[in-house]
Amino acid sequence: MLVNHQQYRTIWTSPVFGQGFSTELRTVEVIDQTKLPHVFEIAKIGNLQQMITAIKTMQVRGAPLIGAAAAYGVALATQQDSGDEYLQLAAKLLVQSRPTAVNLRWSVQRMLSVLLPLPVADRVRAAWAEAALICDEDILLNQAIGAHGLDLIRALYLKKSSTIHILTHCNAGWLATVDFGTALAPIYAAHDAGIDVHVWVGETRPRNQGASLTAWELGQHGVPHTVISDNAGGHLMQQGQVDMVIVGADRVTATGDVCNKIGTYLKALAAFDSSQSGHQVPFYAAVPSPTIDWAIEDGIQHIEIEERDGDELAWMSGRLADGTMATVNILPHGTKVANPAFDVTPARLVTGIITEQGVFAPNQLKTMKR
Amino acid sequence: MLVNHQQYRTIWTSPVFGQGFSTELRTVEVIDQTKLPHVFEIAKIGNLQQMITAIKTMQVRGAPLIGAAAAYGVALATQQDSGDEYLQLAAKLLVQSRPTAVNLRWSVQRMLSVLLPLPVADRVRAAWAEAALICDEDILLNQAIGAHGLDLIRALYLKKSSTIHILTHCNAGWLATVDFGTALAPIYAAHDAGIDVHVWVGETRPRNQGASLTAWELGQHGVPHTVISDNAGGHLMQQGQVDMVIVGADRVTATGDVCNKIGTYLKALAAFDSSQSGHQVPFYAAVPSPTIDWAIEDGIQHIEIEERDGDELAWMSGRLADGTMATVNILPHGTKVANPAFDVTPARLVTGIITEQGVFAPNQLKTMKR
């Protein structure tokens, strides 16, 4: 997608120069998402440890992008040591860096299954190729998600004949993927198809990915949007000001439970409850099929919820009135904070899962091609 | 309650010295709640216009305290001009300063009904006396709310025999009243009675009254508490980590619809839904009876929701690492914001209304003594 009128992906590689004959050595570059929306900055990632740090500190975030980043993490590891033992260790460390993201485990496992059968000497080159393939596949998946989601939006638009208001939570836009996004892919597709869409962007405390990332990328693409506090979503749905909800997901269970950024469950409850005030707000999660964890049936019981550092809530970054960046602590001294990063929306509240294969009701998910 | 080991109310008056023989002239002093939790500062309010500004900018906030402040606003107005016309104008301006707060209308109306029948010369003294009476009555109401709410908490504690986890939203503590609070009155009463209570404090975006005010006042009183993002409340209820929800309200309809800080509706939905995951989280609103608007039946249709300035969401105040105060803008340049300040929780999601007369199921509210 475009940044300052220039085409970008969220992650790419470049050759390491001045390394003698080892011309296959590469570094990874990413858009540093911890700096957005205030500063657009590229971070260079030269080894496995730096990639783990980039994932943990959320310089890269969003389930599909984390998967791509982890694949590149394995590729970087092969440059350090291509032996089985080190790659197994690298895989383990990468998987531990964000426990909730199923794409991460999926892509690391895929990298190992490609690399371990190969002679050690062939692994570096193969690793870079496979990681690049994972990225290209992500883009194709997202474009297909966009097309299927566009059908849903178009159907609503044909019925309503005026602005379609879509509420989203967190950032499942192109910044969360390699390109195009998951939850936002249908929105970009609709906007580009000339459908009048407007996006309610939930701020998404504590890390504000909605207010900072989603608002920023929609703005860069020219999609009309309005930021709201996370608290406002229920009121807007109750008042008939939302036509549909589309979120991403870090994991979807085989039964259609949706594990996504903390607060998603509350939006799903409000969408479900909107029928009580005479509205019908469908609730969709948009995910590529690798996000579906076929091993889990009951998400509420069996998905481990990552508890992140309370400082994420306590400290807020932004621009001072003079434009310089600053970070402030908003809490009374010594206040205890709990920071569960995800929640699980039970399938009974989910209208459908938008995937690259089409839109599935939760109880039809198992009919998907795996 | 205590601040730095000294007893305070949120609002009080002091004589104006050096005014010759007019010894009945007074000024109003309040704790400036826009500075908390970082700075404890007293604001002096010398005339009607300053009181309107204090209410609008939320130096004083919380329905009961706004009521008391508006009463003092009328008293300040009498010092400027005690004539009928000016007092009617003052009443109108005060009522317009925060459209949602029913206590404000109630107390302004009460002041007028006391003052207008009096000779103009008697009105200043009578106004100060009546406003002080409103404050004292608020305290008595809150103590009674505390006692009735304590019964509910004690019953849960006798059943569970371990820590009672209470989730609250926004600030309906003593800072929102003249003293003791509404939603927090039962919690203070339980804590003081030796019951092991722990409070989940929702941050309450966009103005963070939970993170700043509720956390601060609970900390001053020594009540164990943990701040969470507003998004986390649903997850905690789903996981059985919440035993009850108690919130305040800016207005309760005759049928038990609860109009409170934006986001309350989402917590009520999660409390109601918790039965689906095997928990039963009762949802209570604690209010003095003047908060009940007997003229309104359907809160969702008929309560005007105040839309506040988007800058409340865009700008966040806090302490820099060196301890100095700063305010940062967290949004991309030029981002549009919507900021509805309240929402309405329908009575069907409300377990009970805790009042000074006892605890009422929504459909029993009309049996109250008016």
Side-chain angles (χ1 to χ4, degrees), chain A residues 38 203 205 211 227 229-231 238 262 265 273 276 313 316 318-319 328-329 331-332 336 338 344 348, chain B residues 38 203 205 211 227 229-231 238 262 265 273 276 313 316 318-319 328-332 336 338 344 348:
Chain A
H38 310 292
E203 178 182 28
R205 291 286 290 148
V227 171
S229 73
D230 300 307
N231 286 323
Q238 190 188 59
I262 191 81
Y265 167 49
D273 194 60
Q276 296 275 350
L313 197 141
M316 296 276 277
R319 299 182 309 278
V328 296
N329 190 312
L331 297 180
K336 198 175 147 195
V344 175
R348 63 186 154 82
Chain B
H38 310 294
E203 178 183 28
R205 290 286 290 149
V227 171
S229 73
D230 300 307
N231 286 323
Q238 190 187 59
I262 191 81
Y265 167 49
D273 194 60
Q276 296 274 352
L313 197 141
M316 294 276 279
R319 299 183 309 277
V328 296
N329 190 313
I330 61 167
L331 297 179
K336 198 176 148 198
V344 175
R348 63 187 153 82

Side-chain angles (χ1 to χ4, degrees), chain A residues 215-276:
Chain A
W216 182 81
E217 65 164 274
L218 290 172
Q220 292 281 336
H221 197 77
V223 180
H225 62 282
T226 304
V227 171
I228 53 172
S229 73
D230 300 307
N231 286 323
H235 170 70
L236 293 175
M237 289 190 242
Q238 190 188 59
Q239 294 291 327
Q241 296 185 56
V242 179
D243 295 300
M244 69 193 301
V245 179
I246 311 180
V247 298
D250 291 69
R251 200 184 297 199
V252 170
T253 68
T255 53
D257 290 347
V258 173
C259 180
N260 188 42
K261 184 62 49 185
I262 191 81
T264 302
Y265 167 49
L266 293 170
K267 305 306 173 297
L269 284 169
F272 195 79
D273 194 60
S274 65
S275 63
Q276 296 275 350

Side-chain angles (χ1 to χ4, degrees), chain B residues 313-370:
Chain B
L313 197 141
W315 293 90
M316 294 276 279
S317 292
R319 299 183 309 277
L320 295 167
D322 68 7
T324 59
M325 295 289 301
T327 303
V328 296
N329 190 313
I330 61 167
L331 297 179
H333 277 292
T335 300
K336 198 176 148 198
V337 175
N339 184 19
F342 299 89
D343 62 23
V344 175
T345 298
R348 63 187 153 82
L349 305 176
V350 177
T351 310
I353 311 289
I354 308 172
T355 76
E356 76 278 8
Q357 294 179 35
V359 182
F360 295 85
N363 61 12
Q364 293 302 306
L365 213 48
K366 287 177 177 171
T367 65
M368 275 182 73
K369 213 171 53 188
R370 303 197 199 173

